[in-house]
Amino acid sequence: MSIIVSLYRITANVAGYASRMQPSSPDRSARLAAFAALALANLFWAGNWVIGRALREAFDPITLNFWRWLVAAVVLAPFALPELVGKHAVIRRHAGLLALLAVTGVVIFQSLVYLGLRTTTTINAVLLNSSAPLFMLLCSWVIERERATHRQVAGMLVSLCGILVIVSHGEPQRLLQLEFHAGDAWILLAMPAWGIYSVLLKRRPPELGGLGLLFVISVAGLALLVPAFALQTLHAPPRWPTPGEAAGVLYVGLAASVGAFICWNRGVASVGANAAGFTLHLLPAFGTVLAMVFLGEAFSAFHAAGIATILVGVVLATRAATAASLR
């Protein structure tokens, strides 16, 4: 329980500070706090991709997604339920929006990611995930009629170059040797769902705080997952997980769901989907670091060059977006 409380405090403190910023605020420190929250979300999600691949034989995609959000809902309940007292009318009034957030962010995106990780490599999955900012730009244009600036597009392209440096190990000819698998299509299909989710966050009811919103979305997503989970259980009765598998489920439920989504939701509410989307290019950089720490992979010059390029692109895109919001 102490671990849960510590994780909650860390993420809530970082994201909570970011949430106090208005999109047009000139406060530089508040902007930095918002992007720090987004970066922390990407760090948590980087671990999710690694664990999702590692647990592909232990859990089917629906089952892993169900247990992930069940853990998240149970952890969130003591903190979120007091916040939701007296707000039933608000939830009913915005039921359609909350359902869409649950469908896109909890059910479709996460299930498709885990489905894709069963048959594709981690490298391919991370590379395809880097297309998310493009889909977020498109969704922002379709839903909100918000256009990207030239500098935002330039920042996205610079970050993509950094990702390619890491994937190719600094040798461009290696890109021609990448093999694509059936799971790549599932990963790619997940990206528009994430774009829609992130854009719709701007319409979240202001009466619901970060924890309350995430709890409502988690419970709604679980309700939508129950029928598929029940059918999967009848088809293949679950077995008792090993300690390592249980630890993996706890991670995706606590860090990748509670921690990451608190940070992401608050960050997006502060700076908008377009600016937040560019920080997703931090995910492969964090994934590289995690691979070195936990898998013992050596740090090479191309890692440094790739990560530096990614960061340059993120700074270019997010600074441009922030400056534009002040005009």
Side-chain angles (χ1 to χ4, degrees):
M1 181 60 69
S2 62
I3 296 176
I4 294 173
V5 174
S6 298
L7 176 63
Y8 166 76
R9 286 176 177 173
I10 292 172
T11 54
N13 286 342
V14 174
Y17 181 51
S19 70
R20 293 195 293 270
M21 179 194 71
Q22 297 300 320
S24 60
S25 172
D27 190 344
R28 176 181 173 83
S29 62
R31 294 199 302 270
L32 291 176
F35 287 115
L38 294 168
L40 187 58
N42 280 281
L43 176 59
F44 288 148
W45 280 328
N48 176 59
W49 288 76
V50 174
I51 291 177
R53 175 69 174 166
L55 296 180
R56 66 188 184 280
E57 300 296 336
F59 302 96
D60 67 90
I62 295 296
T63 299
L64 180 57
N65 201 21
F66 176 83
W67 288 119
R68 168 182 177 167
W69 289 103
L70 180 61
V71 170
V74 170
V75 172
L76 285 168
F79 306 102
L81 288 177
E83 179 183 314
L84 295 175
V85 173
K87 297 183 179 178
H88 298 86
V90 175
I91 295 174
R92 286 195 299 269
R93 187 164 63 249
H94 297 276
L97 172 63
L98 295 172
L100 281 175
L101 289 172
V103 168
T104 54
V106 173
V107 179
I108 296 178
F109 177 76
Q110 303 298 335
S111 297
L112 288 178
V113 165
Y114 290 142
L115 179 60
L117 287 171
R118 291 174 67 89
T119 54
T120 191
T121 64
T122 303
I123 288 179
N124 283 25
V126 171
L127 181 60
L128 290 171
N129 181 72
S130 300
S131 67
L134 173 60
F135 284 101
M136 292 174 70
L137 287 175
L138 293 175
C139 291
S140 291
W141 178 74
V142 172
I143 298 175
E144 301 289 349
R145 295 302 177 186
E146 181 180 350
R147 295 184 179 182
T149 67
H150 293 299
R151 290 188 64 185
Q152 285 180 325
V153 175
M156 179 178 65
L157 295 177
V158 170
S159 291
L160 283 174
C161 289
I163 293 165
L164 293 177
V165 169
I166 293 175
V167 171
S168 66
H169 290 198
E171 301 174 7
Q173 63 271 21
R174 284 200 178 193
L175 295 175
L176 300 177
Q177 301 172 2
L178 288 177
E179 296 181 0
F180 288 88
H181 308 275
D184 298 329
W186 296 117
I187 299 293
L188 192 59
L189 283 174
M191 296 304 111
W194 187 251
I196 295 172
Y197 170 83
S198 297
V199 173
L200 290 178
L201 277 177
K202 292 292 290 184
R203 302 185 181 185
R204 55 180 285 183
E207 297 89 347
L208 294 182
L211 291 179
L213 175 68
L214 183 55
F215 178 75
V216 171
I217 293 174
S218 300
V219 172
L222 278 171
L224 295 170
L225 285 168
V226 163
F229 174 73
L231 290 175
Q232 180 62 35
T233 301
L234 291 174
H235 175 71
R239 60 174 177 79
W240 192 257
T242 66
E245 293 167 352
V249 172
L250 287 176
Y251 176 88
V252 298
L254 295 176
S257 298
V258 177
F261 272 73
I262 288 173
C263 292
W264 181 261
N265 290 357
R266 297 295 184 87
V268 171
S270 297
V271 302
N274 279 3
F278 296 111
T279 66
L280 289 173
H281 285 159
L282 294 171
L283 195 150
F286 286 137
T288 300
V289 174
L290 291 177
M292 291 186 294
V293 172
F294 294 103
L295 303 180
E297 296 184 5
F299 187 83
S300 303
F302 70 83
H303 288 122
I307 292 174
T309 305
I310 289 171
L311 292 176
V312 168
V314 171
V315 171
L316 173 63
T318 54
R319 287 189 64 184
T322 303
S325 69
L326 299 178
R327 290 195 293 268

